[in-house]
Amino acid sequence: MTGLRIEGLTVRFGRGRRAMTAVDGVSLTVPPGRIVSLVGESGSGKSTLARAVVGLAPVAAGRVLLDGRDIASDAAARRRIQMVFQDPYASLNPRMTVGGALDEALRTRPGVRLTREQRGRETGRLLDLVALSPEHAGALPGRLSGGQRQRVALARALAVRPGVIVADEITSALDVSVQGAVLNLVRDIQARSGTSMLFISHNLEVVRYVSDVIAVMYLGRIVEAAPTEELLAGPRHPYTRSLLAAVPRLGRSWREIDAPVGDLDAPDPHHPPTGCRFHPRCPVGPRADASRSVCLILDPQSGAAERPHRAACHFADEPAASGSAPDGPMRAEEPDGLSGGGRTPLAAVAATDDETATKEHP
């Protein structure tokens, strides 16, 4: 199994006064055979971090290590990190069949040169792994449903036997029922292959189902990270609690509990606030309690490693800051569209998307 380690990664765009730091000194570890999820609202830097990990965004500082090998200077290590993008249609060649796309990936598998017959058998195995039938090998992406396209993208990533897969918002463009099918598939693939995964999403309903560890990102920085059950049961950063409170529940408004105060939109990333970056919106910070002026001055990233959950909050140790998840601890249950008590059988997963494809292309 392969582990990924991100050390002090910084990504900057632009120059001079309009320069922007999209990712600011992020350190994160994806242990071998585990799924680590990265969550945060739009503009927090999640996708930029993902692209930097696979070499698609400029790295201003820091490094990415795969089993201790720096991918910046080791092309072989870099090829062992594969990315699955948010839009499955845009990431596939519309003029290349599914079989052709997988065959092309198999030709680049490191350390082995497969014959045409071997590539054909491997294509069938990959399609079976992602719950697609052999007949799909001759289909063009335009004839597939969104969920089927995303599973083709997963199969293509798996074709090169990666050590780590970076999945960037792979369910956000899909219907809820299809999201459940794809999430079941992700869990099943990870269990079968032991592939490590960095799973990126803005939806806590999604990440709590697939993750071993959750890291929360805000304005280019990690503000909290902990094992899934532990973080959901007792989040230590007010931003994490705001995200949990934003999950819709019957009978209450998310604004009633730990809702952000002041500006609902995040600050301009070109000019982040001094001190704690969350203080202009923090429901327990200086806007709510004037005595907490330390949030305006000191950066809580300093000393975060010694706090619970590595929380970037000056008051993470206090009961008022740690609190509990809205309406009590949030359990890692399956979101809508996922089977209760485990994974949906792959045959059922395939049937779900086949029905969707029939509706889209009668």
Side-chain angles (χ1 to χ4, degrees):
M1 294 185 182
T2 304
L4 177 73
R5 191 163 78 249
I6 302 168
E7 296 182 347
L9 195 69
T10 297
V11 178
R12 293 193 183 95
F13 297 104
R15 294 182 179 180
R17 297 170 64 183
R18 295 302 298 170
M20 181 187 72
T21 301
V23 177
D24 190 2
V26 167
S27 295
L28 185 66
T29 299
V30 181
R34 298 292 184 177
I35 299 179
V36 174
S37 288
L38 189 62
V39 299
E41 61 194 327
S42 297
S44 60
K46 307 184 303 296
S47 293
T48 301
L49 176 63
R51 295 175 69 85
V53 166
V54 297
L56 296 179
V59 175
R63 58 181 183 166
V64 178
L65 304 176
L66 188 71
D67 285 342
R69 298 156 62 187
D70 191 341
I71 68 167
S73 57
D74 192 330
R78 186 163 57 248
R79 283 194 295 270
R80 297 195 62 218
I81 305 176
Q82 293 294 309
M83 186 167 179
V84 181
F85 294 90
Q86 178 176 349
D87 186 348
Y89 188 73
S91 64
L92 297 172
N93 187 335
R95 297 187 178 184
M96 183 177 286
T97 64
V98 169
L102 296 180
D103 184 83
E104 183 180 56
L106 289 168
R107 290 173 183 267
T108 66
R109 177 178 285 182
V112 63
R113 190 179 184 89
L114 301 176
T115 65
R116 178 182 297 181
E117 182 179 353
Q118 289 173 325
R119 293 198 304 272
R121 289 198 300 267
E122 186 66 2
T123 294
R125 187 190 72 84
L126 288 168
L127 289 174
D128 179 69
L129 182 63
V130 297
L132 292 175
S133 67
E135 289 74 20
H136 285 104
L140 291 170
R143 300 298 299 174
L144 303 177
S145 70
Q148 288 171 333
R149 293 171 193 156
Q150 201 59 282
R151 285 190 273 132
V152 170
L154 279 167
R156 185 178 60 178
L158 291 166
V160 298
R161 291 182 177 170
V164 176
I165 290 179
V166 179
D168 183 20
E169 299 273 14
I170 63 173
T171 61
S172 63
L174 306 177
D175 292 337
V176 173
S177 61
V178 181
Q179 284 183 14
V182 171
L183 291 175
N184 277 319
L185 180 64
V186 166
R187 292 211 320 184
D188 192 85
I189 288 174
Q190 196 278 331
R192 289 193 196 184
S193 65
T195 304
S196 306
M197 184 175 293
L198 178 60
F199 190 94
I200 295 171
S201 178
H202 63 274
N203 189 343
L204 276 167
E205 284 286 319
V206 168
V207 301
R208 67 176 181 164
Y209 178 66
V210 300
S211 309
D212 297 299
V213 174
I214 295 177
V216 182
M217 195 167 184
Y218 181 74
L219 274 186
R221 292 179 173 180
I222 302 294
V223 297
E224 184 170 4
T228 299
E229 293 284 355
E230 186 179 325
L231 183 139
L232 296 178
R236 296 287 180 150
H237 197 283
Y239 178 62
T240 306
R241 297 205 307 277
S242 295
L243 291 179
L244 292 174
V247 176
R249 287 182 180 80
L250 293 176
R252 75 162 174 84
S253 167
W254 70 272
R255 295 176 186 274
E256 295 173 7
I257 305 175
D258 281 341
V261 298
D263 297 330
L264 292 181
D265 293 329
D268 182 359
H270 291 89
H271 307 287
T274 58
C276 175
R277 296 189 173 189
F278 189 58
H279 82 254
R281 309 168 70 196
C282 183
V284 297
R287 279 181 176 265
D289 185 346
S291 67
R292 294 187 166 182
S293 58
V294 64
C295 302
L296 304 172
I297 305 168
L298 297 181
D299 187 347
Q301 287 288 334
S302 176
E306 286 74 42
R307 301 190 193 106
H309 300 182
R310 294 166 51 200
C313 176
H314 294 296
F315 304 98
D317 293 310
E318 298 184 5
S322 60
S324 62
D327 294 340
M330 177 183 280
R331 295 183 294 116
E333 300 170 339
E334 290 87 348
D336 292 342
L338 298 173
S339 59
R343 304 174 181 84
T344 299
L346 291 183
V349 173
T352 300
D353 272 353
D354 285 342
E355 292 171 2
T356 305
T358 302
K359 292 177 183 178
E360 292 185 4
H361 305 287

